[in-house]
Amino acid sequence: MKLQTKLIIIICSLIIVVIVFLSLFFQHMLASTLKEQIGLRALNVAESVAAVQLVRDAFQQKEPHKQIQPFAETIRRKTGAEYVVVGNKEGIRYSHPVEERIGKKMVGGDNDEVLQGKSIISEAVGSLGPAIRGKAPIFDESGQVIGIVSVGFMLEDIQKIVRAYTVKIFLFSIIALLLGVVGSVLIARTVKQSIHGLEPKEIGILYQEKQAILEAIREGLIAVNQDGIVTMVNKTAMEMLGCKMEEHLLGKYILHLIPHSRLLDVMKTGKAEYDVEMEIGEQTVIANRIPIVDKKGAVIGAVSTFRNKSELYRLAKELSQVKSYAEALRAQTHEFSNKLYVISGLIQLESYEEALELITKETNVQQDIVRFVMKEIPDPVIGGLLIGKFNKASELKITFDIDRQSSFRDISNIDRDHLVTIIGNIIDNAMEAVVENGREEKRVTAFFTDLGEDLIIEVEDTGVGIAEGLELEIFSKGFSTKPGKHRGYGLDLVQKSLAALQGHITYHTEKGKGTVFTVVIPKRRR
């Protein structure tokens, strides 16, 4: 059964139950109220008749009914009562609507309390049928009970009044039921539209899929409503914000969690923001912010996804390393192609000894650097990076030398990605400085040691050196002394990687002679 049908049935059933209950309750309340009011009316009439002097005096005469009967009938007609009966204390009637019953005994069996001097309201069956009666005692001058006044209204008349009101209540109930049915249909349709025509089972499946998607996304995700209250958050976002329980974030104001968040600004402008750098705690993240818009085009919230910049940089770096290796292979291929041409020319000139000497020299140089790296720098990532830089240096006609006293084995606790960033950028900067110098001697020397508690990396070049006054600026993002776009990021990345590894960098430079960069990285974080 569809949700809309269920809602209509449930709401209509509830309305029917409520209307039936209220109808019965009102009918009962009406009957009870009428009986109470008519009873009080009958009692008031009875007490008034009992207090009339004419009635008292008539009891002293031989034929009291001659004075009491006309008076009682007058009162009955004026008050609308069914009967006004006056009797003595033995219950003998002195008045009755049916004159033939005058002189006969009163019926109903409810005179005992009245003879004791009490006025009562009773419901009894008299000579005319079931009635509500008000009874009052008649006192003489000495205060003795000498008679009874009984005023009655028939129950049948009360029931006629109740039935008349019951018809009105029934008609009102039918109208209310019809309105309720129409309202239930409208409510069901509105609910259906609000949930985009989905059934509860489909909503449950979508919720489970949403949870699975949220957890599968490696980016942090936070959604807020139009008041800036967090309505959704995934596990990655909780980890970045340092919270373990989802309940600690849901329902919180976004600026209390992320003081510099621009989600509120995105909701105001209605414009999305992509790939914006921001700080969350001590992490630098790349964030995307998108407003949530309803069918009418109104902004009802916003969602933000963000990812640690270092992770994005790691991915970019992996791609750049692939590119780096490709460039190294291209450089090596180009270099060896040239040397093969030289060897081919020497053989054609029958200079066999020179050709053999060249082959031996190149083989020894290449094998020597590979053997040294494999022995002293056994990590394949760092070793591959250095061999790639060696081949690049060969293409650029730069002498790239690794100090044979180097040892770089104890690096198991160090993040390779950060090491690649640090070593690669420092060596690249050194090569660019050497090429820019224009001197005949173009040399870059690297030294690595893992002795003691720290890793030490030194890269020395014979470049132009660093000008005075730029000691702090060279580490700034985007700052570069070289022309061209997309420069000035190398040392900034080095600084950030060192911050993650709790290391530091220093340098010594001489104008026109070169620069030495020294990096110190603790093997174990403090």
Side-chain angles (χ1 to χ4, degrees):
M1 187 181 294
K2 293 185 177 180
L3 176 63
Q4 186 172 350
T5 305
K6 286 182 180 178
L7 286 174
I8 293 173
I9 292 174
I10 292 172
I11 295 173
C12 288
S13 300
L14 180 61
I15 291 173
I16 290 172
V17 170
V18 171
I19 289 176
V20 169
F21 172 78
L22 290 177
S23 298
L24 294 175
F25 175 74
F26 287 145
Q27 185 177 357
H28 173 73
M29 187 171 64
L30 176 62
S32 300
T33 303
L34 279 173
K35 286 181 180 181
E36 183 180 354
Q37 295 298 321
I38 290 175
L40 290 172
R41 182 179 171 186
L43 180 60
N44 290 333
V45 174
E47 289 178 339
S48 298
V49 172
V52 175
Q53 190 64 39
L54 183 147
V55 176
R56 293 180 181 178
D57 293 342
F59 272 77
Q60 305 300 323
Q61 299 177 8
K62 290 182 179 181
E63 294 179 346
H65 66 277
K66 289 184 178 181
Q67 291 186 351
I68 294 176
Q69 172 66 8
F71 177 74
E73 283 300 297
T74 300
I75 297 299
R76 180 183 69 82
R77 286 191 294 269
K78 288 183 177 181
T79 59
E82 190 68 28
Y83 56 83
V84 177
V85 176
V86 180
N88 60 18
K89 62 181 181 179
E90 284 80 20
I92 302 302
R93 300 187 185 103
Y94 291 154
S95 67
H96 196 280
V98 182
E99 293 186 3
E100 290 79 8
R101 296 179 184 178
I102 296 174
K104 294 181 180 181
K105 195 172 182 64
M106 300 170 69
V107 297
D110 52 357
N111 291 335
D112 293 341
E113 289 188 74
V114 182
L115 293 174
Q116 294 177 8
K118 297 180 181 179
S119 297
I120 66 169
I121 298 172
S122 67
E123 186 175 332
V125 180
S127 60
L128 297 177
I132 293 178
R133 308 197 286 193
K135 288 180 172 285
I138 301 173
F139 299 96
D140 61 8
E141 298 298 333
S142 61
Q144 297 296 318
V145 176
I146 59 174
I148 299 170
V149 177
S150 178
V151 178
F153 291 86
M154 303 306 293
L155 285 176
E156 185 179 353
D157 296 335
I158 297 174
Q159 290 171 355
K160 287 180 181 178
I161 298 173
V162 171
R163 280 195 292 270
Y165 277 101
T166 301
V167 172
K168 295 179 180 179
I169 291 174
F170 177 74
L171 293 175
F172 172 78
S173 300
I174 294 296
I175 295 172
L177 180 60
L178 292 175
L179 292 175
V181 171
V182 174
S184 65
V185 172
L186 293 176
I187 291 172
R189 287 182 179 177
T190 303
V191 172
K192 191 76 172 177
Q193 291 174 356
S194 299
I195 59 178
H196 304 287
L198 298 173
E199 296 297 322
K201 185 177 180 181
E202 295 173 333
I203 294 173
I205 293 173
L206 284 176
Y207 176 78
Q208 292 175 345
E209 290 177 350
K210 185 206 77 170
Q211 291 298 111
I213 292 170
L214 286 178
E215 298 308 320
I217 295 174
R218 294 191 62 187
E219 292 185 335
L221 186 147
I222 289 183
V224 299
N225 61 18
Q226 57 189 355
D227 298 320
I229 304 301
V230 177
T231 57
M232 185 172 59
V233 60
N234 69 346
K235 187 176 180 180
T236 304
M238 288 191 292
E239 291 175 353
M240 287 187 175
L241 293 171
C243 292
K244 296 182 179 179
M245 299 293 291
E246 187 178 9
E247 292 76 10
H248 294 164
L249 298 178
L250 294 180
K252 297 292 183 63
Y253 190 51
I254 184 64
L255 294 183
H256 293 166
L257 300 174
I258 308 175
H260 304 294
S261 174
R262 284 185 47 79
L263 280 177
L264 300 181
D265 298 320
V266 168
M267 285 192 286
K268 289 179 181 178
T269 62
K271 296 181 180 180
E273 297 179 355
Y274 297 100
D275 301 327
V276 180
E277 187 173 316
M278 66 175 294
E279 300 292 330
I280 295 182
E282 297 181 355
Q283 303 179 68
T284 301
V285 300
I286 303 298
N288 297 311
R289 308 179 187 97
I290 302 173
I292 302 172
V293 182
D294 62 12
K295 292 182 178 180
K296 298 179 180 179
V299 178
I300 58 174
V303 62
S304 173
T305 60
F306 45 88
R307 191 164 186 177
N308 196 308
K309 185 179 179 181
S310 61
E311 293 184 11
L312 294 175
Y313 175 67
R314 186 178 296 118
L315 295 175
K317 188 166 50 182
E318 288 178 2
L319 294 175
S320 66
Q321 289 304 315
V322 171
K323 182 179 179 181
S324 161
Y325 294 148
E327 290 178 352
L329 290 173
R330 181 185 61 79
Q332 190 174 18
T333 301
H334 184 268
E335 185 71 15
F336 274 95
S337 295
N338 291 333
K339 289 175 181 176
L340 285 174
Y341 288 137
V342 173
I343 293 170
S344 175
L346 290 173
I347 292 174
Q348 291 178 12
L349 295 173
E350 297 182 354
S351 300
Y352 302 118
E353 291 184 4
E354 288 81 352
L356 183 61
E357 182 180 352
L358 180 59
I359 292 171
T360 302
K361 178 183 176 182
E362 292 300 323
T363 303
N364 289 339
V365 171
Q366 190 69 23
Q367 288 182 347
D368 180 59
I369 188 67
V370 171
R371 280 197 300 268
F372 175 76
V373 168
M374 291 178 63
K375 179 181 178 182
E376 299 298 337
I377 309 176
D379 186 88
V381 175
I382 305 301
L385 173 67
L386 292 175
I387 291 175
K389 298 302 181 186
F390 179 82
N391 292 327
K392 181 180 178 180
S394 297
E395 183 184 17
L396 296 174
K397 306 302 180 182
I398 298 173
T399 301
F400 178 54
D401 189 25
I402 301 176
D403 194 309
R404 293 303 185 265
Q405 299 299 318
S406 296
S407 176
F408 217 57
R409 300 179 182 180
D410 188 13
I411 60 173
S412 58
N413 296 326
I414 309 299
D415 190 318
R416 300 297 187 280
D417 296 323
H418 290 310
L419 279 178
V420 167
T421 298
I422 295 167
I423 296 171
N425 279 290
I426 292 178
I427 292 176
D428 284 343
N429 283 351
M431 289 184 180
E432 290 181 3
V434 167
V435 171
E436 185 183 356
N437 192 15
R439 292 165 55 188
E440 183 177 347
E441 182 186 12
K442 299 179 180 179
R443 177 180 294 276
V444 175
T445 304
F447 172 72
F448 304 88
T449 180
D450 56 0
L451 300 178
E453 297 297 324
D454 300 315
L455 299 177
I456 298 176
I457 303 167
E458 279 189 0
V459 177
E460 181 179 359
D461 65 67
T462 57
V464 296
I466 300 173
E468 293 184 5
L470 301 180
E471 291 82 358
L472 297 178
E473 291 187 55
I474 62 170
F475 295 103
S476 301
K477 182 178 178 180
F479 176 81
S480 177
T481 59
K482 306 175 185 67
K485 297 181 179 180
H486 308 296
R487 288 186 173 276
Y489 295 96
L491 289 179
D492 175 62
L493 294 174
V494 170
Q495 280 278 57
K496 290 180 178 178
S497 294
L498 284 171
L501 298 177
Q502 297 183 350
H504 64 275
I505 183 172
T506 58
Y507 72 90
H508 173 72
T509 185
E510 289 188 36
K511 185 66 175 178
K513 293 185 178 181
T515 305
V516 179
F517 279 93
T518 303
V519 174
V520 179
I521 302 171
K523 294 181 181 179
R524 290 168 181 77
R525 297 191 184 188
R526 292 177 287 274

